[in-house]
Amino acid sequence: DHKDREEADRATLAELEDEIRAAEQRLKDSEQQQKRAAKDHKDREEADRATLAELEDEIRAAEQRLKDSEQQQKRAAKDHKDREEADRATLAELEDEIRAAEQRLKDSEQQQKRAAKDHKDREEADRATLAELEDEIRAAEQRLKDSEARNQRAAKEHTDRAP
C-alpha cells in the first residue's frame, strides 16, 4: 500500500512537472507570438489578452494541483521520513518553476503594454509629420501660384510696353 502510494505520488509529481513544462513552453511560444504581433498590435491585442488569460488560468490550475499534492504528501510524510525529504525538494523545484513562469508572464504583460504605448507614440509622431508635410506642400503651392501670377503680370507689362 505504501509502495503504491509512493508510485502514485511519483507519477503525480511527474505529471505536474510535465504540465508545468508544457505550460512554460506554451508561455515561451506566446512570448514569441507577441514579438511578431507587435507589427500588427492593434489587430492582435485581443488575441494576446486571451492567450495571457489562458496562461494565467493554467498557472492557477497548476498551483491548485500543487496544493492538493502538498496535502497528500503531508499525509505520506507520517509513514516515510526519507520520502518526505525528496518530496520537499521536488515541491521547492515546482514552486520555483511556477514563480519563474509567473515572472515571465508579468514580463510579457509589461512588454505588451510597452508595445501598445510605442505604437500610440509612433502614430502620433506620424500624424504630426504628415501635418507638417501638408503645410509645406500648401506653402509651396502658394509660392508657385504667386510666382506664376508675377510672371503673367511681367509678361503683360512687357507686351503692353512693346511698340
Side-chain angles (χ1 to χ4, degrees), residues 118-152:
D118 291 347
H119 177 74
K120 185 176 179 184
D121 292 347
R122 278 194 304 274
E123 278 185 341
E124 288 177 14
D126 289 348
R127 276 196 291 277
T129 301
L130 287 174
E132 289 173 11
L133 290 172
E134 288 169 351
D135 290 347
E136 289 176 20
I137 289 169
R138 280 192 291 274
E141 288 173 343
Q142 186 58 50
R143 288 192 302 274
L144 178 61
K145 287 179 187 175
D146 294 347
S147 176
E148 288 172 346
R150 279 193 302 275
N151 287 344
Q152 286 177 353

Side-chain angles (χ1 to χ4, degrees), residues 67-79:
K67 287 177 186 175
D68 295 345
S69 178
E70 287 172 334
Q71 290 301 315
Q72 181 181 3
Q73 290 168 10
K74 285 179 184 176
R75 291 188 298 272
K78 295 176 186 174
D79 300 332

Side-chain angles (χ1 to χ4, degrees), residues 13 73 81-93:
L13 288 173
Q73 290 168 10
K81 185 82 174 175
D82 292 341
R83 174 85 178 137
E84 187 178 55
E85 291 295 321
D87 288 347
R88 265 196 230 109
T90 300
L91 289 173
E93 288 174 13

Side-chain angles (χ1 to χ4, degrees), residues 6-29:
E6 273 189 355
E7 285 183 28
D9 288 349
R10 271 196 291 276
T12 299
L13 288 173
E15 288 173 14
L16 288 171
E17 288 170 349
D18 289 345
E19 289 174 19
I20 289 170
R21 275 193 292 276
E24 287 174 340
Q25 186 58 49
R26 288 191 296 275
L27 181 60
K28 287 178 189 174
D29 294 345

Side-chain angles (χ1 to χ4, degrees), residues 53-68:
E54 288 174 13
L55 289 171
E56 289 170 339
D57 291 345
E58 289 176 19
I59 288 170
R60 279 193 290 275
E63 288 173 329
Q64 184 59 52
R65 289 189 300 274
L66 178 62
K67 287 177 186 175
D68 295 345

Side-chain angles (χ1 to χ4, degrees), residues 98-110:
I98 288 171
R99 279 193 291 274
E102 288 171 335
Q103 186 59 50
R104 286 192 298 275
L105 178 62
K106 287 179 189 173
D107 293 347
S108 179
E109 289 169 341
Q110 286 301 314

